[in-house]
Amino acid sequence: MTENRVGVYICHCGHNIAGTVDVEEVALWAAGLPHVAVSRDYKFMCSSLGQELVEADIKEQHLTHVVVAACSPHMHEPTFRQACERAGLNPYLFEMANIREHASWVHPNDRAAATDKAKAIISGSVRRVLELSPLEPLRAPIHETTLVVGGGIAGINTALEIANAGHPVVLVEREPSIGGHMAQFDKTFPTLDCAACILTPKMFEVGMHPNIKLLTYSEVEQVDGYVGNFTVRIRKKARKINTELCTGCGDCWGRCPAKVVDNIYEAGIGYRTAIYRQFPQAVPKYPVIDVETCIYYKNGKCKACEKFCPTGAIDFDQEDEIILMQAGNIVLATGYDLFDARRIPAYGYGRLANVFTSMEFERLTNATGPTGGKVVLRDGVTAPESVAIIHCVGSRDKNYNVYCSATCCMAALKFAHLVKEKTNAEVYNFYIDMRTAFKDYEAFYIRLMEEGTHFIRGRVAEVTDAARIPGEEGKLIVQAEDTLVGKQRRIPVDMVILMGAMEPKDDAKEVAYRFGIGCSEAGFFTERHPKLDPVATMSEGIFIAGACQGPKDIPATVGQGAAAAARVLSLIGQGVVEIEPVRAVIDESRCSGCRICNNLCPYNAIDYLEEEGVSRVNAALCKGCGTCVAACPSQVIQGQHYTFDSLMSQIEGLLYDVGNNQNGHVRVMEPEPV
Amino acid sequence: MAHDYNEFNPAWEERTPVIIGLLCNWCSYRAADLAGTSRFGYPATLRDLRIMCTGRLDPTFVVKALREGADGVLVMGCHPGQCHYDAGNYKAMRRMALLRRTLVQLGVHPDRVQLAWASASQGTVFTEMVKNMTETIARLGPLNWQDTAFDESQHKEMEAIRG
């Protein structure tokens, strides 16, 4: 066996590490560790010059192992693995020592302690890297089909981009029609073009596209597998309509006697029937029977829709269908929920009739909405003479959500304009800060100020109907501190609109778990990197787009949809994907066949071979968690890259200066019993 | 030293507490990363290593760390029900329960070995856990198990816990 020659590289990371850890001293110290042939410190190891330094040393100094002490392996492990590979060193003989996130950044006021800890971390990594073995990544073909979950503007755009490139897409939507929140809007800021006019052609394109299989009124129940080869179980809920026969003529919902409040599409201010199509431009065009409100499912009578259906498409006995599919990549575009304004009782939503949510106002002002686009009070006839728009309802508020929902300022300006245009009412915007970033948004704000909309800087304390002076009688009084004037103001208005926060979907956490991705503290899906990889997730082959990743407006959502599609297309283009070879391997010559590991495996990846009397790991199913490795009573399952020896050595290294191990003396481990 | 552990226990005359952290790749290691990027300071007592899942937790690792001179071991994984590999953290839970009982019989206070959860977004939870554990270990004093494993006085102290 050749002599071990380890190269150790300490990164300054500008001042991020060097400002706290004495990197020169650490590099000098590391040079004295056993088997270390080269030890250097450098300003930015991840720069091309830093990488070239490693590459040159591997070639010229004949390094057998490399340790880079810098940031988290989640940041730059792939970078340095590639550098090793370029220089002809197996990338799995590289180890990252995390002395930034785990040392310099968390012990900023204690240079000595941070330096000591960096030494311990590097000592552990050097000991560990010596125990690593060269590995080859597993290669798996990429299934061409992509699953897109969520049929809002993000999912629609992703699906179209991939389908237009010639690859099959399955688009799953929970509601009976695609379109999402955008289909509910009337106008879009800052151009004020009609949302339906720009959205419905795309919806139609999705419905007609030969490469897109559309599954509406469906939900993903289970996801198994890995990048390139996911197996997905989808529940297609029973529409109670035979879509082969249905023409979408509308005779059925025209005759349905059950009128119910439409809490989804009409945001609770309009009605639909029990058999319904969400909106006229719905894709697909077929209606759906809501079994909760349908009279037939309550008392077994009615069937009006069946009687009047000219094609006999009503099927009361239709049952849910389970669809199993293979997908190479998955894009989640599951959108957001609007903040429930009832959670702030002081604003009176649900108690004071003329307090509206932003989505209610969208429907109110929409030409296809319940009032035909007339801006009126809850009585349905009176036009308001004054309207207050309250910003940051549930956003930028530590009682609810600390984040800024990013879209509400602009939506509030849009509302102010529409109110002014339709009713000529006085409009009061109560804001904390006006946030009109991005192209042409500020110009819209200036336009609104010129239109004569009032802007009052201050968070509203209360909306009340308790009048104090005659002018307030019969009005809603909005009380706020005008922080620019430094005075309390009470403004009587006829209508109040609450600009609710964009929140994660109520089931975002379950969905994240089902797809094996993470959620932020607020509940939005976590991206791989907040700046440089905003649509990928920590799970290979699973991407995110739109408001499920964080509050954003339509242009940003569309951009992310296209970005996610581009990421999927690049994987499909590669044809095969490399998977980390972190897998369990059983030494069958030493396996006693006790089968303890068989039942512990969460993926049923361990088979018992009856004839040989031993267990064997199916590498395609194994995900490398190591549960079986730890449980094997004979210690004959090896967890590749996280072997027993490598972890035991790392522990020794981490504790090089404690107990009896002081002065760099590391005790030799007893051989494990065979 | 920024921290004076003598306040907790005069036995910290010569050195500071050392805790070995076994962190799962998906949740708690990322929580530790987040604590770093958020610049949440915590005592420099923890020296961590990464395993893919707490299901990989071989009890030997804990015993090894204590034998090599650590004063405590902190194992952290994903919250129950959120394991990246379905249920590795439940397996860690079972192993830890058994291990702690065993360690008591070997003269190690059970609070020296702890299992906790932090999701990838819980940099604060991770930080608090390190602070709490450091305080616990600081009160218990140095373990020096290599020297004390067969020390009679230690065994008597444990008898109360054993019940």
Side-chain angles (χ1 to χ4, degrees):
Chain A
M1 198 182 144
T2 52
E3 184 203 353
N4 285 324
R5 294 175 61 80
V6 184
V8 179
Y9 300 86
I10 324 289
C11 182
H12 294 207
C13 195
H15 286 292
N16 285 311
I17 295 171
T20 311
V21 172
D22 189 341
V23 283
E24 284 92 1
E25 194 208 316
V26 174
L28 274 175
W29 165 87
L33 288 173
H35 303 292
V36 171
V38 177
S39 175
R40 303 181 195 277
D41 61 285
Y42 189 71
K43 205 105 193 140
F44 287 106
M45 281 310 298
C46 59
S47 67
S48 57
L49 288 173
Q51 292 181 50
E52 282 160 18
L53 194 66
V54 178
E55 287 172 51
D57 280 351
I58 292 172
K59 287 179 194 152
E60 289 156 20
Q61 307 275 341
H62 310 290
L63 299 183
T64 55
H65 302 80
V66 171
V67 172
V68 174
C71 49
S72 169
H74 292 300
M75 189 72 84
H76 274 308
E77 192 175 61
T79 311
F80 294 112
R81 277 187 176 172
Q82 281 164 16
C84 289
E85 201 163 16
R86 282 197 297 273
L89 183 69
N90 186 288
Y92 294 91
L93 297 175
F94 159 78
E95 176 71 6
M96 193 109 195
N98 185 350
I99 60 167
R100 191 179 75 173
E101 279 86 342
H102 292 200
S104 71
W105 275 353
V106 284
H107 313 306
N109 304 319
D110 196 343
R111 193 172 174 83
T115 304
D116 283 349
K117 184 166 166 183
K119 285 181 185 173
I121 293 171
I122 293 164
S123 159
S125 297
V126 170
R127 291 298 314 273
R128 170 171 154 77
V129 81
L130 287 164
E131 298 293 335
L132 296 180
S133 311
L135 296 171
E136 290 303 322
L138 306 169
R139 276 169 233 277
I142 297 251
H143 201 282
E144 201 189 348
T145 306
T146 305
L147 171 71
V148 177
V149 185
I153 185 61
I156 287 173
N157 217 47
T158 310
L160 284 175
E161 293 283 349
I162 299 169
N164 285 339
H167 301 290
V169 175
V170 175
L171 177 59
V172 176
E173 166 61 44
R174 180 182 279 174
E175 295 296 325
S177 168
I178 57 170
H181 283 109
M182 192 177 166
Q184 296 170 273
F185 300 163
D186 181 38
K187 296 281 196 304
T188 54
F189 59 76
T191 49
L192 296 175
D193 45 354
C194 116
C197 311
I198 53 178
L199 176 69
T200 50
K202 278 184 174 285
M203 290 167 59
F204 183 74
E205 206 182 331
V206 167
M208 297 301 287
H209 207 295
N211 289 338
I212 299 178
K213 184 179 178 189
L214 184 57
L215 295 173
T216 50
Y217 213 43
S218 304
E219 288 191 53
V220 175
E221 288 194 330
Q222 200 185 337
V223 182
D224 289 314
Y226 48 88
V227 54
N229 198 10
F230 293 105
T231 307
V232 185
R233 192 180 129 105
I234 299 163
R235 176 175 294 270
K236 193 167 177 236
K237 290 177 278 185
R239 274 179 181 265
K240 310 290 181 187
I241 304 292
N242 183 343
T243 52
E244 301 278 308
L245 300 174
C246 177
T247 61
C249 67
D251 283 351
C252 51
W253 64 79
R255 300 303 207 307
C256 177
K259 297 276 182 293
V260 289
V261 175
D262 185 353
N263 280 319
I264 308 273
Y265 185 71
E266 294 292 7
I269 62 165
Y271 295 89
R272 61 166 171 81
T273 45
I275 182 167
Y276 69 107
R277 183 163 71 180
Q278 282 194 297
F279 48 102
Q281 307 94 323
V283 173
K285 62 191 173 187
Y286 318 116
V288 49
I289 297 180
D290 174 16
V291 295
E292 299 286 313
T293 49
C294 173
I295 295 168
Y296 170 73
Y297 289 99
K298 274 186 199 151
N299 57 21
K301 291 192 197 108
C302 183
K303 290 198 175 183
C305 47
E306 193 180 40
K307 276 175 221 136
F308 289 99
C309 179
T311 59
I314 309 288
D315 179 1
F316 287 110
D317 300 323
Q318 196 178 57
E319 284 184 358
D320 290 3
E321 198 181 327
I322 301 294
I323 297 169
L324 286 175
M325 64 165 286
Q326 297 293 116
N329 294 282
I330 297 175
V331 179
L332 294 176
T334 51
Y336 70 97
D337 274 340
L338 188 68
F339 177 79
D340 179 4
R342 284 182 186 82
R343 286 167 61 194
I344 308 184
Y347 290 171
Y349 179 71
R351 179 166 50 85
L352 303 171
N354 290 315
V355 178
F356 289 79
T357 65
S358 51
M359 192 50 88
E360 283 178 336
F361 185 80
E362 286 283 3
R363 295 309 302 155
L364 206 58
T365 181
N366 194 313
T368 65
T371 61
K374 280 201 207 80
V375 175
V376 287
L377 300 182
R378 227 32 108 164
D379 64 8
V381 284
T382 320
E385 285 170 10
S386 50
V387 177
I389 302 176
I390 303 180
H391 293 224
C392 302
V393 176
S395 304
R396 303 185 66 195
D397 182 340
K398 66 180 179 185
N399 298 313
Y400 305 99
N401 299 301
V402 289
Y403 56 82
C404 166
S405 290
T407 59
C408 342
C409 279
M410 283 303 291
L413 292 176
K414 174 183 81 177
F415 287 174
H417 173 83
L418 292 173
V419 169
K420 202 91 184 151
E421 185 183 75
K422 293 193 172 182
T423 65
N424 204 27
E426 288 296 321
V427 184
Y428 301 88
N429 268 278
F430 291 88
Y431 68 98
I432 308 176
D433 296 293
M434 285 303 295
R435 294 189 169 176
T436 55
F438 305 121
K439 193 177 176 186
D440 295 338
Y441 288 9
E442 186 71 11
F444 189 63
Y445 177 29
I446 293 167
R447 175 179 163 188
L448 261 288
M449 286 195 280
E450 286 167 356
E451 279 180 13
T453 303
H454 305 282
F455 289 92
I456 297 165
R457 186 173 183 275
R459 188 189 274 287
V460 171
E462 185 186 27
V463 177
T464 175
D465 56 356
R468 285 189 195 160
I469 50 173
E472 293 179 351
E473 274 162 17
K475 301 265 186 184
L476 293 171
I477 303 103
V478 181
Q479 167 126 20
E481 185 190 351
D482 187 334
T483 57
L484 295 181
V485 185
K487 273 192 180 149
Q488 285 290 330
R489 295 188 67 172
R490 283 170 66 85
I491 297 187
V493 293
D494 296 322
M495 179 192 252
V496 172
I497 306 169
L498 304 177
M499 304 306 297
M502 289 173 87
E503 290 194 324
K505 275 278 190 208
D506 58 354
D507 61 348
K509 288 215 160 96
E510 290 108 87
V511 171
Y513 180 58
R514 195 172 308 149
F515 287 88
I517 62 169
C519 278
S520 69
E521 199 130 23
F524 293 107
F525 297 154
T526 312
E527 60 282 348
R528 182 175 279 263
H529 191 281
K531 285 155 214 128
L532 301 179
D533 214 350
V535 296
T537 65
M538 291 297 179
S539 292
E540 295 282 344
I542 298 188
F543 301 92
I544 49 179
C548 61
Q549 181 253 0
K552 57 179 62 66
D553 57 13
I554 295 167
T557 300
V558 170
Q560 279 206 336
R567 296 297 303 274
V568 168
L569 289 174
S570 84
L571 277 168
I572 295 174
Q574 286 166 31
V576 285
V577 64
E578 288 194 348
I579 303 169
E580 280 265 284
V582 176
R583 293 287 180 271
V585 179
I586 297 176
D587 179 352
E588 288 170 21
S589 67
R590 291 163 65 202
C591 173
S592 69
C594 72
R595 305 185 64 174
I596 284 176
C597 55
N598 294 193
N599 294 331
L600 280 175
C601 179
Y603 305 104
N604 294 321
I606 309 179
D607 299 318
Y608 180 67
L609 308 177
E610 292 284 348
E611 270 182 34
E612 291 89 339
V614 294
S615 294
R616 183 178 290 169
V617 178
N618 180 341
L621 294 176
C622 173
K623 291 200 177 184
C625 66
T627 300
C628 60
V629 183
C632 177
S634 320
Q635 293 196 357
V636 298
I637 308 183
Q638 197 189 46
Q640 287 184 339
H641 209 57
Y642 290 90
T643 57
F644 183 82
D645 290 350
S646 71
L647 294 170
M648 291 296 255
S649 296
Q650 190 172 5
I651 293 170
E652 284 179 9
L654 285 168
L655 297 167
Y656 79 101
D657 60 339
V658 203
N660 296 350
N661 308 320
Q662 278 167 13
N663 310 321
H665 165 73
V666 181
R667 301 195 319 177
V668 181
M669 259 178 51
E670 298 89 322
E672 288 306 315
V674 177
Chain B
M1 284 293 152
H3 299 271
D4 188 5
Y5 296 103
N6 286 333
E7 281 176 25
F8 294 103
N9 193 321
W12 294 113
E13 204 63 62
E14 290 175 14
R15 63 179 182 90
T16 52
V18 176
I19 301 166
I20 286 290
L22 290 152
L23 310 182
C24 86
N25 181 55
W26 301 96
C27 291
S28 51
Y29 193 88
R30 281 166 213 263
D33 278 359
L34 182 63
T37 44
S38 316
R39 313 295 201 279
F40 298 148
Y42 56 82
T45 50
L46 186 81
R47 300 175 180 186
D48 61 79
L49 65 142
R50 181 166 65 129
I51 48 182
M52 291 308 279
C53 175
T54 45
R56 177 69 183 89
L57 177 75
D58 188 328
T60 328
F61 298 156
V62 178
V63 178
K64 171 79 176 175
L66 296 176
R67 196 189 73 174
E68 294 296 325
D71 303 300
V73 177
L74 174 60
V75 182
M76 288 186 81
C78 309
H79 283 277
Q82 292 177 10
C83 175
H84 187 81
Y85 303 100
D86 194 36
N89 46 5
Y90 286 104
K91 279 142 198 163
M93 244 162 150
R94 289 191 225 161
R95 287 173 195 155
M96 284 293 278
L98 207 58
L99 175 66
R100 289 171 81 177
R101 289 183 65 171
T102 311
L103 285 173
V104 169
Q105 292 166 357
L106 294 168
V108 177
H109 193 287
D111 288 352
R112 288 188 185 274
V113 177
Q114 294 190 28
L115 179 65
W117 321 121
S119 76
S121 59
Q122 291 179 322
T124 45
V125 172
F126 173 83
T127 309
E128 283 311 303
M129 192 59 215
V130 177
K131 285 181 184 165
N132 289 346
M133 178 108 182
T134 301
E135 204 181 309
T136 307
I137 298 295
R139 282 184 207 289
L140 289 170
L143 176 61
N144 297 336
W145 203 30
Q146 286 160 332
D147 308 322
T148 61
F150 301 100
D151 183 334
E152 280 296 319
S153 65
Q154 287 261 339
H155 284 249
K156 272 180 192 155
E157 197 187 311
M158 288 301 125
E159 252 159 39
I161 299 164
R162 255 175 261 155

